[in-house]
Amino acid sequence: MTARIYQQPKSAMQSGKAKTDTWVLEFEQSEARKPDPLMGWTGSGDTQAQVKLSFPSKDAAKAYAEKYGISARVHATPPKSLKIQAYADNFR
């Protein structure tokens, strides 16, 4: 059972920084997805892929993975870059 640990990113509809300080442990898929013959929906028998656990810090997520014997990879948070722009720059 493998998992990945990453910091919750900001959604496209979000302008503030709320809920971006949480870390998420998410299990990777162990079984390929396949279409359902009746409805055509994509599904899988892997129920672990539906589990997302939230933690207040990266260390807490790592400790949880070690406690339960889960091999986890930590994905580093990309650096944030701000593009400082004034309204007057639209008319240059």
Side-chain angles (χ1 to χ4, degrees):
M1 183 170 15
T2 59
R4 61 188 186 118
I5 298 172
Y6 61 93
Q7 194 169 17
Q8 183 89 17
K10 189 168 80 162
S11 72
M13 300 301 293
Q14 185 176 357
S15 63
K17 295 181 182 178
K19 298 183 182 178
T20 58
D21 56 345
T22 60
W23 287 80
V24 177
L25 185 139
E26 185 177 55
F27 293 98
E28 294 180 357
Q29 286 186 344
S30 62
E31 184 178 309
R33 293 183 178 262
K34 54 188 176 281
D36 182 50
L38 180 63
M39 297 297 290
W41 295 342
T42 305
S44 173
D46 181 24
T47 57
Q48 287 290 347
Q50 301 172 6
V51 177
K52 274 187 167 181
L53 301 173
S54 297
F55 296 94
S57 67
K58 177 172 60 172
D59 296 329
K62 285 168 125 179
Y64 179 86
E66 289 175 7
K67 180 180 178 182
Y68 290 102
I70 300 167
S71 61
R73 295 180 316 196
V74 177
H75 293 274
T77 305
K80 297 178 176 115
S81 61
L82 296 175
K83 182 180 176 185
I84 306 298
Q85 185 175 357
Y87 180 70
D89 293 340
N90 294 335
F91 302 102
R92 286 189 182 172

